[in-house]
């Protein structure tokens, strides 16, 4: 028996540390009775404690930390950012930390009306969908990417391209957040804009390098 001198009696409970093998929440319990030193003890009291795992921050996979994308002059490019969270059920969003030096970054917007019909037609024909049909509000610095799949649209400035340099036309950076913590990693997306070639197709959707 333990004598509790506090009024009312109180104890301090130290929860166990959850390991990677444990579920995200566990329950533990203990029982107690009270005794005044004269009469027999009381009926048992029961205390149940539910322990939830401490929030773990999201992260950006190593293969997504430095990404290059390609488009042509005056054509936007649809980009899908990447992030994961070790805690089941957490929603991960991208947060733009640095805007591109040139061009503009926009939220992805699901097309509606005539634009939606045009997208359906192109998809039915197996043709790429122009990024212009998927462009929403312009993104400002420290803005949360609204699309659940973390898609954004980049548009270069009118009649500009990367030129003869081997460097990117522009780049931007982002972290991912679970609403409580942000990732330690900061990812960078570099965009290359080629000059418009003679006889270029009227509709272009650029993709990441080595993807279809």
């Amino acid at each position: 028996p333990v004598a509790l001198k506090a009024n009312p009696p109180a104890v301090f409970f130290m929860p166990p540390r959850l390991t990677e093998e444990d579920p995200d929440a566990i329950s533990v319990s203990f029982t107690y009775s009270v005794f005044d030193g004269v009469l027999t003890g009381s009926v048992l009291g029961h205390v149940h404690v539910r322990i939830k795992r401490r929030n773990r921050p999201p992260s950006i996979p190593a293969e997504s930390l430095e990404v290059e994308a390609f488009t042509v002059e005056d054509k936007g490019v649809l980009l899908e950012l990447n992030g994961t969270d070790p805690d089941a059920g957490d929603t991960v969003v991208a947060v733009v930390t640095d805007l591109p030096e040139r061009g503009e970054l926009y939220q992805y917007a699901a097309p509606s009306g005539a634009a939606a019909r045009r997208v359906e037609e192109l998809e039915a024909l197996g043709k790429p969908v122009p990024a212009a049909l998927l462009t929403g509000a312009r993104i400002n610095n420290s803005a949360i990417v609204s699309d659940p799949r973390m898609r954004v649209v980049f548009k270069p400035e009118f009649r500009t391209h990367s030129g003869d340099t081997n460097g990117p036309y522009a780049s931007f950076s982002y972290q991912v957040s679970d609403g409580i913590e942000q990732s330690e990693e900061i990812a960078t997306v570099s965009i290359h804009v080629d000059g418009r070639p003679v006889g270029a197709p009227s509709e272009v959707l650029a993709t990441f390098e080595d993807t279809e």
Side-chain angles (χ1 to χ4, degrees):
V2 177
L4 301 179
K5 298 181 180 180
N7 187 19
V11 294
F12 178 78
F13 173 75
M14 175 65 74
R17 181 180 296 274
L18 299 181
T19 67
E20 292 296 328
E21 290 73 28
D22 288 323
D24 287 341
I26 63 172
S27 294
V28 297
S29 62
F30 64 90
T31 58
Y32 69 95
S33 65
V34 293
F35 177 60
D36 64 4
V38 178
L39 300 177
T40 58
S42 68
V43 296
L44 292 178
H46 300 271
V47 177
H48 299 275
V49 182
R50 182 170 173 82
I51 304 165
K52 296 181 66 176
R53 185 185 299 277
R54 179 180 297 174
N55 184 73
R56 293 173 292 179
S59 62
I60 300 174
E63 64 271 16
S64 298
L65 291 176
E66 297 284 344
V67 171
E68 293 188 316
F70 299 82
T71 186
V72 298
E73 185 179 326
D74 297 336
K75 295 295 181 181
V77 55
L78 179 66
L79 307 167
E80 186 166 341
L81 312 181
N82 195 10
T84 61
D85 195 286
D87 296 329
D90 279 6
T91 299
V92 179
V93 298
V95 181
V96 176
T97 56
D98 289 295
L99 292 170
E101 306 87 356
R102 293 195 289 175
E104 299 286 354
L105 201 60
Y106 294 86
Q107 301 280 7
Y108 168 87
S112 59
R117 291 191 292 272
R118 178 59 175 155
V119 169
E120 291 178 358
E121 292 171 358
L122 292 171
E123 290 178 341
L125 295 172
K127 294 184 177 181
V129 177
L133 296 177
L134 309 172
T135 302
R138 189 171 64 181
I139 292 177
N140 298 315
N141 210 29
S142 300
I144 294 176
V145 174
S146 58
D147 179 53
R149 288 173 55 183
M150 295 189 283
R151 291 172 291 183
V152 296
V153 174
F154 172 80
K155 287 186 176 181
E157 295 175 357
F158 184 66
R159 296 299 189 208
T160 60
H161 54 79
S162 299
D164 297 329
T165 64
N166 293 324
Y169 173 89
S171 62
F172 67 93
S173 302
Y174 69 93
Q175 291 176 285
V176 291
S177 171
D178 61 3
I180 301 175
E181 298 181 83
Q182 291 189 338
S183 61
E184 293 183 359
E185 308 90 350
I186 299 177
T188 300
V189 180
S190 300
I191 302 107
H192 299 265
V193 180
D194 293 333
R196 185 186 296 275
V198 176
S202 59
E203 295 173 344
V204 175
L205 174 63
T207 61
F208 290 127
E209 184 179 17
D210 298 331
T211 61
E212 296 181 354

